[in-house]
Amino acid sequence: MTETPVAPSTARMIDYWLGGRHHYPVDVAAATAFEGAYGPCAEIFRSLRAFLGRSVAYLAGQGIENFLVFGAGVPTRGNVHEVAADAHVLYTDIDPVTIALGQEVLAGHDLAGYAFGDATDPAGIDPAALARFLPGWGREPIGVVFLGLAAFLDDPTLARTLDQLHRVVPPGSMLAFDFDGEELTGYPEALAMMGEGFHMRDTATFPALLGKWRPTSDGIVPVARWRPEGQAAEVPDAFHGGVALH
Ligand SMILES: C[S@@+](CC[C@H](N)C(=O)[O-])C[C@H]1O[C@@H](n2cnc3c(N)ncnc32)[C@H](O)[C@@H]1O
C-alpha cells in the first residue's frame, strides 16, 4: 500500500464507511469523530454509492462508452468501471495519496485508469492518460461523473467548472452530479469538521449552477429517490442529485 498519509481524506473515509480496504488509521479516526458528532454514516454512503451505480448504468444504457470521473476517490465498492464493465473509464482526483491508491487498485486493468485531474482545469488532464483510457475523447459523447465534489467548490467556481466541462465534451455527453443538501445545519460540530471550504446547497438554487447542462425529467432529488430500484433506501436527505444532458 502507498505511504501512510498524515491527513485524512473524505474519499478514504467513504471507503471505510463502505466497508472497503483502502484507507488508513487517520481516515478511520476522522470518520469515527465525524460519526460522534453526526451519527452513523454507513447507510447514507451506501445509498450515495448506489446512486452512482444507477446513474452510471443509466448513462451506459443511453450508449455512453467513455466515462471521465472527477473527484473520484477510491475506485472500488461498486464504482464506475465495476458498473459499466465494458466501458472506458478515466478516474481523476487531486489528492496524491488517493491517486496512488487508485493506480495500485487499477494496475493492469485494460479499460480503466487513474490520473491527476483538477475538475476546475480539465485542460490540465494528462493528454496521454486521456488517449490511453478514453479512446472516444474529442469524438464521442462522454459520461462525466461529478459526484461527491460540488461541496468542495464555491458557487462561482462550480458554475465555471460545469460550464468549462460543457464546452470540452461533445453533444450527446451526459453528466451525473450530486451536491450536499443542508442536512449538517442541524449538526454544528460535524459541520465545523468539514472546514470552511465546505458548501451546502438547496434544491432551489442549485439548478442555476448547472448552466447549459439540462437535468433529465427525473429531476434533481434526494439521491435515494433518483430512479430507485424498488423501495427507496430510508436515509436522511443528505445528498441530492441527478443526471443532466449536454
Ligand atoms: C467526498 S470525496 C468523494 C469521492 C468519490 N467521488 C466518492 O463519491 O466516493 C471528494 C474527492 O474530491 C477530491 N477533490 C477535491 N477538490 C477537487 C478538485 N478541484 N478536482 C478534483 N478532485 C477534487 C478530493 O481529493 C476527494 O477525493
Side-chain angles (χ1 to χ4, degrees), residues 118-120 146 149-158 161 197 199 201:
D118 184 338
T120 66
F146 202 97
L149 179 54
F152 301 99
L153 306 176
D154 61 27
D155 279 5
T157 308
L158 178 58
T161 296
H199 304 275
R201 297 186 167 96

Side-chain angles (χ1 to χ4, degrees), residues 25-46:
V26 71
D27 303 311
V28 178
T32 308
F34 187 83
E35 287 193 306
Y38 174 74
C41 291
E43 287 301 325
I44 294 176
F45 284 99
R46 263 184 224 135

